Amino acid sequence: MTPSPVLRAEGLSMAFGAFKVLDRVSLDVFGGEIVGILGPNGAGKTTFMNLLTGAYRPTTGRVHVLGEDVTHLATADRCRRGIARTHQVPRPFGGMTVFENVLVAARNGRGDPSGDPVGLAWQVLEHTGLAGVANRKAGSLGLLDRKRLELSRALATGPRVVLLDEIGGGLTDAEADRLVALIRDIQRDGVTIVWIEHIMRLLTECCTRMICMAGGAVIADGLPGDVIDAPAVRTAYFGAAA
Amino acid sequence: MTDLTITRSSTTSRITLGLLVAAGLALAALPWINGVGGSGRAVALLVYVLLAVMWNALAGFAGLVSIGQTLFFGVAAYATIRLSDAGIDPFLATILATLIGALLGYVTSLFMVSLSGGEFAIGMWVLSALAHLCVNLDPLIQGETGTSLIALNAYDVETRAALTLWLALAFTAVFMAALILLLRSSTGAAITAIRDDEIAARSVGVDVLRTKRIVFVLAATGTAAAGALWLTSNTSFQPKAFFGVHWTAYMLFMVLVGGLGRIEGALIGAVLFFVIETLFGAYGAWYLVGLGAVAVLFALVLPNGLWGWIGPRLPGEAIPTGYFVHKKEGRTQHVDG
Ligand SMILES: Nc1ncnc2c1ncn2[C@@H]1O[C@H](COP(=O)(O)OP(=O)(O)O)[C@@H](O)[C@H]1O
Ligand SMILES: [Mg+2]
């Protein structure tokens, strides 16, 4: 018998006005997976993530977390059920310090409110490498640290699943290696990961499974090597270059 | 295990607290120094402070831009008249009217706070206009003719002025303290997060609606206190003078010129407004034109208001709501090597 998924999307569709962005996308993500999502710009990846977290209401379809239907729940409630995310364009609380940013997440985002949020927030910062700038205003951070802050806040909510939206862009090789190591750490701590990324190398190094989206649908799903080699993926993703 | 220390105050904040307490004491002594006239102006200053600080909490922190806070200002003044007419001591009536404002704020919050920005702003104005109409229907008020808080005549002029001033000071201190404590509480960081980015706040689990409602009710109550005080200080109640849109303009002016989203900004915005009014208020229409010009000037030169310029130049937060975290690294010196 197959284990039940940590996160389940069931026939999710989304339209902005008459413009259909997602067409009945279904996906089961199982505990311990690192699922990479690739796809050309405009494929609907971020929109898919917004439907999973409740930032948008789907036109049709349902979302389940740990077997519970959360489709009717608001983003904050889903966060407390265990779905955390990073934003493709970082959204720091600019007037607050890095530490305060993470503290807000530790206090509000945890399903289980026991534990000391101050200590937890600090632990997360040490883990993600931001402890050194804990007292800096988040608005003064560079892009790289803003992305790390996104990840730190997500982790501070004590998630079961983390949805990452292009947090690897613009990294040097060394930074990218550190990020991959960090993501693996997080997974080892029992957190399931869904990672939208353009940088193929990061996904192939890290992922246990890969998905390709194009034109609002999943066009391939399988082991990273197989997905990259699939003809449909090559035409959709690499386009004329393939 | 971890040696974390959290610091939540600084020399700057201790000096600020000292200055605020000194200013409060100086105002409290005014009845002996300056008599009735001085007390009246001091109440005006405190009413402006209350209005600015509360409007700033609402717009600057909760992102709820209301152009109808006169709902609470006017209804509290009206309630004071009504309670006093029913035989309650006017000063007690002022306090009770503030509580009625809190109740009205709570009820209003149930359906207003979830509205989107534009709907909320206009909706508040509509509610205020409705309340204005209803108050005008009360025969006691005689339409726009208005009435007076005649029960105040039971007190002689000096006592009345001094009591009003002390009540105003007490209200201002209570509401300032309540707001600062709220912003320093665990809910406070969530409020500040909403100020900075509402969508991100939702993403990390902040219950945005609940948090906004807390701020809304506090702002409603503080604004109600200001309305009741304004009545007690000026004795006459003409609905237009309380529900009038000029109050909204004043609140906007004080907060935008002082600096949106900072308590300190609202405070100095109110003081600046008071000074301008004291110096130029007699010029009627030209005074209003001048106010508008000052607002435009600030928008161009200091878009973050006075405090947006002063705040970052201070060594610490004047009114501290944040956390400074520090980890003692006592062991590292002799462990490595
Ligand atoms: N809020 C929105 N309103 C209208 N169109 C949107 C909105 N968000 C996304 N879109 C459109 O949906 C499509 C998919 O966008 P997105 O999910 O961001 O793609 P991806 O993340 O795969 O690059 C794009 O064509 C984009 O313009
Ligand atoms: Mg995207």
Side-chain angles (χ1 to χ4, degrees), chain A residues 75-76 79-80 85 87 91 93-96 99-100 103-105 107-109 122 126 134-135 153, chain B residues 1 4 6 186 189 192-193 195-197 199-207 322-325 327:
Chain A
T75 304
C79 176
R80 278 179 234 123
R85 63 136 356 135
H87 298 93
R91 292 179 160 274
F93 304 128
M96 304 173 80
F99 176 75
E100 288 158 9
L103 184 62
V104 170
R107 270 200 189 132
N108 295 277
W122 182 261
E126 288 198 321
N135 294 310
R153 280 196 317 211
Chain B
M1 180 188 69
L4 281 183
I6 302 278
S186 59
T192 318
R195 174 195 70 181
D196 287 353
D197 193 320
I199 290 175
R202 289 179 204 279
S203 289
V204 298
V206 172
D207 187 339
Y323 300 71
F324 186 88
V325 61
K327 189 183 180 187

Side-chain angles (χ1 to χ4, degrees), chain A residues 7-227:
Chain A
L7 179 65
R8 157 170 277 178
E10 212 180 288
L12 287 179
S13 300
M14 184 66 190
F16 295 104
F19 180 43
K20 289 202 89 175
V21 175
L22 283 184
D23 187 26
R24 283 162 293 155
V25 174
S26 295
L27 179 69
D28 282 351
V29 179
F30 297 92
E33 281 190 310
I34 302 182
V35 180
I37 301 185
L38 40 110
N41 271 324
K45 305 181 297 296
T46 299
T47 304
F48 181 51
M49 183 171 285
N50 282 329
L51 295 183
L52 294 176
T53 61
Y56 298 156
R57 291 282 139 130
T59 328
T60 64
R62 316 209 67 82
V63 178
H64 300 260
V65 178
L66 300 167
E68 182 191 3
D69 187 342
V70 298
T71 317
H72 60 286
L73 291 184
T75 304
D77 295 318
R78 293 192 201 190
C79 176
R80 278 179 234 123
R81 298 288 199 292
I83 311 186
R85 63 136 356 135
T86 67
H87 298 93
Q88 180 174 348
V89 178
R91 292 179 160 274
F93 304 128
M96 304 173 80
T97 68
V98 168
F99 176 75
E100 288 158 9
N101 267 260
V102 181
L103 184 62
V104 170
R107 270 200 189 132
N108 295 277
R110 306 182 75 83
D112 164 24
S114 69
D116 161 36
V118 167
L120 275 165
W122 182 261
Q123 264 175 14
V124 168
L125 289 178
E126 288 198 321
H127 195 186
T128 56
L130 282 179
V133 291
N135 294 310
R136 279 258 304 270
K137 285 268 190 279
S140 72
L141 296 179
L143 181 62
L144 205 70
D145 281 344
R146 283 176 187 233
K147 290 192 167 183
R148 280 201 243 173
L149 180 57
E150 285 284 332
L151 180 59
S152 309
R153 280 196 317 211
L155 293 179
T157 65
R160 298 295 300 264
V161 195
V162 178
L163 313 177
L164 307 173
D165 197 353
E166 300 196 20
I167 59 162
L171 301 185
T172 65
D173 279 354
E175 286 161 354
D177 288 343
R178 252 182 288 147
L179 180 64
V180 167
L182 180 60
I183 305 276
R184 287 214 181 102
D185 265 6
I186 296 166
Q187 180 229 21
R188 259 195 302 274
D189 290 343
V191 180
T192 305
I193 289 159
V194 178
W195 187 359
I196 297 173
E197 192 57 82
H198 270 305
I199 303 162
M200 194 77 70
R201 173 173 90 83
L202 295 180
L203 291 190
T204 48
E205 273 180 29
C206 227
C207 294
T208 58
R209 177 180 162 199
M210 200 181 284
I211 281 165
C212 182
M213 286 179 71
V218 174
I219 59 163
D221 180 350
L223 291 173
D226 298 344
V227 168

Side-chain angles (χ1 to χ4, degrees), chain B:
Chain B
M1 180 188 69
T2 44
D3 269 328
L4 281 183
T5 11
I6 302 278
T7 314
R8 306 200 64 189
S9 62
S10 64
T11 311
T12 313
S13 69
R14 283 184 284 273
I15 292 175
T16 308
L17 183 63
L19 289 174
L20 287 177
V21 170
L25 291 177
L27 286 176
L30 220 53
W32 292 290
I33 301 166
N34 202 320
V36 175
S39 301
R41 287 306 289 158
V43 173
L45 171 64
L46 293 167
V47 164
Y48 298 158
V49 166
L50 269 175
L51 289 178
V53 168
M54 290 301 142
W55 198 80
N56 179 51
L58 196 59
F61 282 93
L64 293 167
V65 176
S66 166
I67 55 173
Q69 288 308 92
T70 41
L71 168 66
F72 305 109
F73 192 78
V75 165
Y78 168 68
T80 309
I81 291 277
R82 264 285 162 200
L83 289 169
S84 161
D85 186 63
I88 293 171
D89 175 86
F91 290 102
L92 182 60
T94 308
I95 295 169
L96 292 177
T98 303
L99 296 178
I100 290 173
L103 192 67
L104 180 63
Y106 173 76
V107 174
T108 316
S109 78
L110 295 176
F111 54 93
M112 288 308 290
V113 172
S114 54
L115 295 181
S116 71
E119 289 168 350
F120 172 79
I122 305 291
M124 288 305 300
W125 177 76
V126 169
L127 288 182
S128 173
L130 269 176
H132 185 177
L133 280 174
C134 292
V135 165
N136 277 5
L137 292 178
D138 185 340
L140 177 69
I141 306 302
Q142 314 168 65
E144 282 302 337
T145 311
T147 181
S148 290
L149 196 57
I150 25 179
L152 277 177
N153 294 335
Y155 295 85
D156 68 79
V157 179
E158 281 83 19
T159 314
R160 184 207 293 179
L163 282 179
T164 310
L165 175 59
W166 292 333
L167 188 60
L169 270 169
F171 270 142
T172 311
V174 164
F175 283 104
M176 288 279 293
L179 180 62
I180 293 169
L181 289 177
L182 177 64
L183 288 175
R184 284 172 66 92
S185 74
S186 59
T187 306
I191 295 172
T192 318
I194 292 173
R195 174 195 70 181
D196 287 353
D197 193 320
E198 194 172 318
I199 290 175
R202 289 179 204 279
S203 289
V204 298
V206 172
D207 187 339
V208 170
L209 205 58
R210 175 184 160 272
T211 310
K212 284 184 172 187
R213 279 185 56 202
I214 293 172
V215 179
F216 182 89
V217 174
L218 176 64
T221 314
T223 307
L229 281 172
W230 192 253
L231 173 72
T232 315
S233 179
N234 293 282
T235 33
S236 76
F237 179 79
Q238 286 161 316
K240 242 195 307 214
F242 284 80
F243 288 101
V245 73
H246 59 286
W247 285 110
T248 302
Y250 296 164
M251 292 180 224
L252 270 152
F253 176 90
M254 295 187 282
V255 171
L256 296 184
V257 165
L260 189 68
R262 298 293 323 193
I263 304 176
E264 301 92 333
L267 253 179
I268 53 173
V271 173
L272 184 75
F273 174 72
F274 176 78
V275 170
I276 295 179
E277 192 205 34
T278 307
L279 295 178
F280 305 108
Y283 292 93
W286 283 109
Y287 156 66
L288 294 175
V289 172
L291 268 188
V294 171
V296 170
L297 190 74
F298 265 89
L300 293 175
V301 182
L302 289 177
N304 296 320
L306 273 172
W307 199 258
W309 190 84
I310 300 170
R313 284 168 174 73
L314 296 178
E317 283 186 295
I319 297 179
T321 53
Y323 300 71
F324 186 88
V325 61
H326 180 72
K327 189 183 180 187
K328 291 203 195 80
E329 298 284 6
R331 293 177 304 138
T332 44
Q333 300 230 315
H334 46 262
V335 168
D336 300 323

